[in-house]
Amino acid sequence: MANREAPVSESKLQNPHLTSWVDELARLCKPDRVHWCDGSEGERQRLTALAVSSGVLLPLDPAQYPNSFLHRSNPNDVARSEQLTFICSKNQADAGPTNNWMSPAEAYAKLGKLFDGSMRGRTLYVIPYVMGPPGSEFAKVGVELTDSVYVALSMRLMTRMGSEALEALGSSADFNHGLHCTGDLSPERRFICHFPEDNAVWSFGSGYGGNALLGKKCLALRIASYLGRREGWLAEHMLILGAEDPEGRTTYVAAAFPSACGKTNFAMMVPPARFKGWKLWTVGDDIAWLHVRPDGKLWAVNPERGYFGVAPGTSLKSNPNAMKSVSHDALFTNVAMTKEGGVWWEGMDGDPPDELIDWQGRPWKKGSPEKAAQPNSRFTVAASNNPACSPHLDDPHGVPISALIFGGRRSSTVPLVLQSFNWAHGVFLGATMASETTAAAGGKLGELRRDPMAMRPFCGYNVGDYMQHWLDMQRRMVAPPKIFQVNWFRRDKEGALLWPGYGENMRVLKWIIDRVAGTLNARETPFGWVPHPGQLDLTGLDIAPERVEQAMAVRDDELRADLESLAPFFADLGDRLPEALSFQRHLLLSRAR
Ligand code: GTP
Ligand code: SPV
Ligand code: MN
């Protein structure tokens, strides 16, 4: 399809639902131009040139970082805004206690005023996109209308965007209706509103990732979780990874860790030398759509086709596959820039350069107490850049999942690894997961909060109903995945991490794979199955065995206190708290004395 600058009414598009909706919102937002994105390489080049000439993107040194650019966002707009994110269901109770709620009528009226005339002097980009593998029965189409060229270029990396999405949509009216405007970025005029019952999202006043790329958290998690409950599947904040053993057998796992708690790193993990002959494949690093297929197993597709990953902490040592992925055709957001036009962030290999331009464009000197890169600075790249990208990324059926893993950021209490007794106990472990807050969302850092299945900010309906839906999924499966809990972040009394993490997490994954295969016994505790002492393969790991023991310890007093502290969280769920989870808590408490 040719690049179109013509008003929609002159376009030759065949889908009247789409054209009349675009016309209606163009009349509201009043852009000077409407550009229908076709997703072509030529279009990418034209939009990139435009973004560079308007200062939205800074070109990086093409010798070091071919085809790569830096974007600096407004300093008040560097992370998801959970306080300004709303679920606009007809009934407030359907949004539940973990979501902000606004009535649909109020939200449409309030945001309608903000959108009115908001794109004067600007271009409205029409971005048709598909979430999910091409031709998959599980894929969903969305269309995002935005005035941000950064969003258009990011959506091209993160989704299957342009002509192929229009073809997938055909003449159907079944698509997510997304409207986004950057506005003046004032937090007083920032709202990210979801209308699950209308399959629509209106986002105003932020240009940042999860607030503005509507295919990601808005459609693929909040709206999709709502659709999943209605249609009998699950939309989850999970990475998907395949571990191929030296005999060529691949075990697939999906893991839910809250934002900035290690999904991208685990999904791209390179195993230590001890695991010679193993190959790890990344299917996805953030979102999994889980469906039961006719074989009675749970299968996962990654609805995305790119990564929007945390930059700080990413190095050749911690995540070599990510470093290779960002070496060309990458968009960076809020990282620091070197004098030579390269990028830098805290935790990158080697010493920091003597001088940098920090994420806000200011000069920065080595030894400065300020961070050069914003703690939630990110890279955006196509998944195909990853040397470990799974060939099943485009598989319409996805991959069969043998284990589900839940992991929060917990300085204490939660052991390195624990296997649930059964599905309901596993759902309990996920539903009661807690994690210390990170820079991925605005608000305080390091506060412990309950984050059910790492979905607290992303569940598009009542979280109690969501937990019940998880419990109900068991009946649809003949071979449900085994459920595990992990914690890479336990600390000693001095505050030092007990477990080295990153690639060494392979040692824990190997135990999980062996447990799933049924080739390994385990130790039963009142709280679940854990490795026998000495059972975890630590060959070649340069760390005192006592520290690993401390990381793995199951301490009755700590776990009992944690179960007791669940009371107010469960009380908040009121009559939507599944009975099975309430009983699980009492059962565990009764055994923990
Ligand atoms: P979102 O994209 O926000 O959903 O984050 P994510 O879950 O993909 O987290 P990511 O893998 O980007 O890691 C976030 C931060 O945690 C980075 O600074 C990592 O360096 C750090 N991290 C990741 N894995 C580990 C680990 O195993 N141990 C420790 N100590 N830190 C880790
Ligand atoms: C997260 O915060 O979980 C992310 C980044 O993956 S964002 O797309 O901004 O939500
Ligand atoms: Mn995420």
Side-chain angles (χ1 to χ4, degrees):
M1 202 175 300
N3 176 28
R4 245 186 266 267
E5 292 283 346
V8 186
S9 49
E10 284 171 38
S11 84
K12 295 181 184 61
L13 273 173
Q14 298 301 305
N15 188 320
H17 308 287
L18 178 58
T19 47
S20 66
W21 171 71
V22 175
D23 276 339
E24 181 195 327
L25 290 182
R27 275 196 300 277
L28 174 67
C29 299
K30 305 179 181 61
D32 283 15
R33 293 165 297 277
V34 176
H35 173 104
W36 287 70
C37 292
D38 63 16
S40 66
E41 170 58 21
E43 178 183 75
R44 185 192 69 77
Q45 288 176 13
R46 282 188 297 278
L47 295 186
T48 302
L50 195 93
V52 169
S53 66
S54 58
V56 171
L57 293 183
L58 296 170
L60 295 171
D61 171 23
Q64 280 186 78
Y65 291 95
N67 251 321
S68 299
F69 301 86
L70 168 63
H71 172 70
R72 294 194 185 118
S73 64
N74 188 302
N76 79 21
D77 187 34
V78 295
R80 281 182 296 100
S81 319
E82 293 183 4
Q83 291 68 27
L84 306 172
T85 300
F86 294 81
I87 299 299
C88 306
S89 46
K90 281 196 196 77
N91 299 317
Q92 178 164 9
D94 293 336
T98 51
N99 283 312
N100 301 309
W101 176 81
M102 214 191 288
S103 79
E106 185 191 347
Y108 283 127
K110 190 178 238 165
L111 273 71
K113 280 201 199 106
L114 294 171
F115 278 111
D116 190 356
S118 62
M119 297 189 189
R120 272 201 190 93
R122 300 178 66 82
T123 300
L124 186 162
Y125 298 94
V126 181
I127 307 173
Y129 63 93
V130 182
M131 301 309 286
S136 171
E137 59 178 312
F138 309 134
K140 303 268 179 207
V141 175
V143 182
E144 173 166 359
L145 311 182
T146 178
D147 66 342
S148 162
V149 68
Y150 166 78
V151 167
L153 288 165
S154 299
M155 288 292 282
R156 185 173 184 274
L157 289 171
M158 295 299 297
T159 73
R160 295 160 179 94
M161 181 266 251
S163 308
E164 71 169 293
L166 285 185
E167 269 157 43
L169 180 61
S171 57
S172 167
D174 183 17
F175 60 93
N176 182 264
H177 299 63
L179 175 61
H180 167 254
C181 178
T182 314
D184 66 2
L185 298 176
S186 147
E188 291 82 67
R189 282 179 290 282
R190 181 178 299 163
F191 297 96
I192 300 103
C193 289
H194 302 72
F195 307 90
E197 289 132 358
D198 299 344
N199 196 7
V201 181
W202 281 20
S203 168
F204 193 92
S206 167
Y208 185 78
N211 294 336
L213 311 179
L214 302 186
K216 196 175 180 50
K217 298 303 161 81
C218 301
L219 169 54
L221 287 179
R222 298 197 188 93
I223 299 288
S225 61
Y226 168 87
L227 295 174
R229 177 170 181 240
R230 224 175 50 186
E231 299 166 1
W233 54 282
L234 292 163
E236 296 301 324
H237 193 199
M238 288 181 174
L239 68 95
I240 310 163
L241 145 73
E244 184 181 339
D245 69 16
E247 283 78 52
R249 281 179 307 245
T250 305
T251 307
Y252 292 96
V253 307
F257 310 155
S259 300
C261 290
K263 288 182 300 302
T264 300
N265 277 271
F266 196 59
M268 295 186 181
M269 181 169 59
V270 175
R274 166 68 179 166
F275 296 89
K276 197 164 170 288
W278 283 78
K279 274 189 244 142
L280 265 49
W281 302 101
T282 316
V283 183
D285 82 323
D286 199 51
I287 302 180
W289 285 355
L290 306 171
H291 291 81
V292 182
R293 294 201 46 231
D295 62 2
K297 291 186 183 158
L298 192 64
W299 289 67
V301 297
N302 171 12
E304 303 188 283
R305 67 165 284 271
Y307 312 126
F308 183 57
V310 176
T314 308
S315 67
L316 285 169
K317 187 161 176 286
S318 66
N319 192 347
N321 283 327
M323 291 305 279
K324 287 176 195 150
S325 304
V326 304
S327 64
H328 62 95
D329 298 279
L331 282 182
F332 296 91
T333 302
N334 295 335
V335 301
M337 193 157 98
T338 66
K339 278 203 304 235
E340 297 76 30
V343 290
W344 195 84
W345 47 76
E346 278 71 19
M348 207 189 236
D349 307 87
D351 274 347
D354 290 335
E355 289 182 12
L356 288 165
I357 321 231
D358 80 359
W359 66 278
Q360 299 188 67
R362 305 173 306 192
W364 181 96
K365 282 205 167 51
K366 189 168 170 176
S368 158
E370 301 232 354
K371 297 229 187 297
Q374 211 285 331
N376 189 40
S377 53
R378 300 231 168 205
F379 56 79
T380 313
V381 290
S384 51
N385 276 21
N386 174 5
C389 181
S390 165
H392 294 288
L393 174 64
D394 284 335
D395 196 325
H397 300 309
V399 294
I401 297 297
S402 300
L404 295 170
I405 304 171
F406 294 110
R409 187 181 281 267
R410 294 291 301 265
S411 320
S412 73
T413 310
V414 176
L416 183 62
V417 60
L418 179 131
Q419 182 183 357
S420 72
F421 292 119
N422 51 41
W423 182 262
H425 178 222
V427 172
F428 176 86
L429 291 176
T432 61
M433 175 157 97
S435 194
E436 289 140 24
T437 49
T438 66
K444 279 210 190 123
L445 297 186
E447 276 198 337
L448 190 69
R449 67 169 184 181
R450 297 286 161 188
D451 189 347
M453 277 80 179
M455 282 286 281
R456 183 187 184 105
F458 308 119
C459 183
Y461 60 101
N462 188 302
V463 75
D465 295 344
Y466 168 70
M467 294 169 181
Q468 186 64 53
H469 178 45
W470 259 90
L471 291 163
D472 292 343
M473 284 296 289
Q474 181 177 25
R475 259 177 279 134
R476 296 173 179 270
M477 295 181 274
V478 285
K482 303 284 186 279
I483 302 182
F484 297 80
Q485 184 181 41
V486 298
N487 179 19
W488 314 142
F489 299 95
R490 206 169 187 185
R491 291 171 188 272
D492 63 17
K493 279 198 230 57
E494 284 69 47
L497 285 165
L498 287 164
W499 177 248
Y502 302 101
E504 305 300 345
N505 295 334
M506 179 66 201
R507 301 171 190 277
V508 175
L509 180 60
K510 175 67 165 46
W511 187 81
I512 290 174
I513 290 169
D514 289 344
R515 285 294 294 163
V516 162
T519 54
L520 207 61
N521 58 16
R523 187 163 75 87
E524 187 178 332
T525 76
F527 303 97
W529 301 96
V530 299
H532 283 293
Q535 197 176 41
L536 214 59
D537 187 342
L538 302 178
T539 314
L541 183 63
D542 186 19
I543 158 176
E546 308 84 72
R547 292 190 71 78
V548 179
E549 269 163 42
Q550 274 187 63
M552 301 211 309
V554 169
R555 301 198 36 174
D556 284 28
D557 51 344
E558 288 183 352
L559 284 159
R560 191 186 323 113
D562 204 57
L563 287 165
E564 265 154 16
S565 77
L566 268 176
F569 175 63
F570 273 11
D572 271 356
L573 299 180
D575 62 1
R576 308 259 184 150
L577 170 69
E579 202 175 35
L581 297 187
S582 178
F583 282 134
Q584 280 290 333
R585 175 168 175 266
H586 287 298
L587 188 64
L588 289 162
L589 268 174
S590 70
R591 288 201 296 243
R593 20 191 121 255

